[in-house]
Amino acid sequence: MYALADCNNFFVSCERVFNPTLNNKPVVVLSNNDGCAIARSNEAKALGIPMGCPAFQIKNYTTEHVIMLSAQHVLYRDISNRIMQVLGEVAINLEVYSVDEAFFELPYDDDERNHKLLAQVVSKIYKYIGVPVSIGFAPTRTLAKIASHVAKKDPSNTDRVLGLTIQSDIDNILSRTKIDDIWGIGRRLNAKLLSRGIHYASDFVRLPKSFLQKIGNINLVRTQEELLGLDRVSINPVTIAHKSIMSSRTFGHVIQKRNEISDAVLTFAQACATQLRQEQSAALTVTVYVRGDHFRQDLPFYSNSCTVRMATHTSSAIEIVRHVLIAFNSIFREGFSYRKAGVMVSDIVSAKELQLDIFNGEQEVRHNRLMSAIDKINNRYGAKRIMLAPSINKGEWAPQQNHFNTKSKHLRFYSGMLPQYPSKSKLNAPLDQDEDDACEQ
DNA sequence: TCTGGGGTCCTAGGACCC
DNA sequence: TCTGGGGTCCTAGGACCC
């Protein structure tokens, strides 16, 4: 039996932890650059504001005042870690699927016992951390996703837990589940299926495999099998390293100057290198891309990318920056306006498995020592305190963010100062009234 | 005026091999 | 008129997820 725990309106809920005056109001959290809505409170959803709605179009949906907030991902990550910690205390094989979702297996054979346990988890997370969570459980992950979705939407479900364990219940829910609410069916497949008269999950599960294979690929067949109760999806636990790491940004406005764009690109390169070192891995390939502004009809559009293979796998910022510069110089064209750029590192392996390159061994060792010194300083005094010389220009490309929640904006830099979540021994004990009151405060 | 960032997997088609 | 068969690897692009 798999469970899926899903935080409700996660980024908005995080903001509300620090600013309860946001409760019961339409609130959206905006993407980087204050571009579009990436999280909406229930009140904002009720006004019809869609996911991804550009900030400047929100007024087209409502005359009501909607509170817009700039995203603070460091803070959300910190709160997410605390929630995962609570889940980890009851979960078997916890799979952190995203910042606000995790799959896990359940400890009991008995549906009722599992349900009760999960209801306690939901309530503890709300009491100790302040974020509402819904949990669904079912024989497969895809069904558990649907269950958590229904648990979230159904107002009569007061403990926010739903188990889909009996076939008649599953059939009933599938006949009411629209196909685009199925995990694995996105916009394109939804359109293809709708055009053939398939509207509900109960129709979808009856389609022949050959047809699914034709309009999609093997994953669509797997999705159908999951809905039929066959375990077909696997998720890598978080301990498995990334296959690629990307750092990119849309700039606050278009820029033309080579050194301002290269400055951004070099910052991204160093972010990738830092993350590689954090994960104790190393990459062989770097890709750089630059892009104009899709929305500016008045400017000639240019976009390009370049991939370079390095001599050896590395996490050295010096090596990665050097190759990123080579790639960047090969695609940068004077006379165009740029709005976005990014760096990706790929062909990643664990650093432990690496053998020193026979020609570069000594240099590699020196780089490693230098990098670990830089990491220590940056960990202690703040990210980006020490960077490589090319990226000394500041700011031309910086995103616009003008809507920080004033109650919490200082916290995004110092997430470590948040009060720690109570110890495990306390958690397992029943909550008493004093503790309850303390948490409320 | 204003439109995000970071991932994974699959497939088709080309290059190349014997 | 007529031009093999069977593989592997790589890449770009498309689909999906949050």
Side-chain angles (χ1 to χ4, degrees), chain A residues 29-74:
Chain A
V29 172
L30 300 173
S31 62
N32 194 36
N33 245 331
D34 294 339
C36 53
I38 54 173
R40 303 158 295 155
S41 70
N42 287 342
E43 298 77 13
K45 288 176 187 171
L47 293 174
I49 298 166
M51 189 65 167
C53 179
F56 72 96
Q57 286 177 5
I58 285 177
K59 62 179 182 326
N60 299 350
Y61 291 87
T62 175
T63 54
E64 243 180 88
H65 176 63
V66 176
I67 299 166
M68 297 189 246
L69 299 171
S70 299
Q72 312 187 68
H73 292 284
V74 174

Side-chain angles (χ1 to χ4, degrees), chain A residues 417-430:
Chain A
M417 71 187 270
L418 298 183
Q420 278 308 304
Y421 163 75
S423 68
K424 185 169 181 172
S425 57
K426 269 200 171 174
L427 245 195
N428 291 335

Side-chain angles (χ1 to χ4, degrees), chain A residues 21 31 43 50 60 108 172 198 237 242 244 247 257 269 287 316 323 334 344 392:
Chain A
T21 65
S31 62
E43 298 77 13
N60 299 350
Y108 305 125
N172 178 24
I198 310 299
H242 285 112
S244 63
S247 175
K257 287 193 188 134
T287 301
S316 159
H323 288 91
E334 294 287 349
M344 181 166 83
I392 48 175

Side-chain angles (χ1 to χ4, degrees), chain A residues 303-321:
Chain A
S303 124
N304 206 349
S305 74
C306 176
T307 297
V308 173
R309 190 163 299 208
M310 300 183 286
T312 57
H313 285 88
T314 183
S315 61
S316 159
I318 298 170
E319 280 302 295
I320 290 173
V321 159

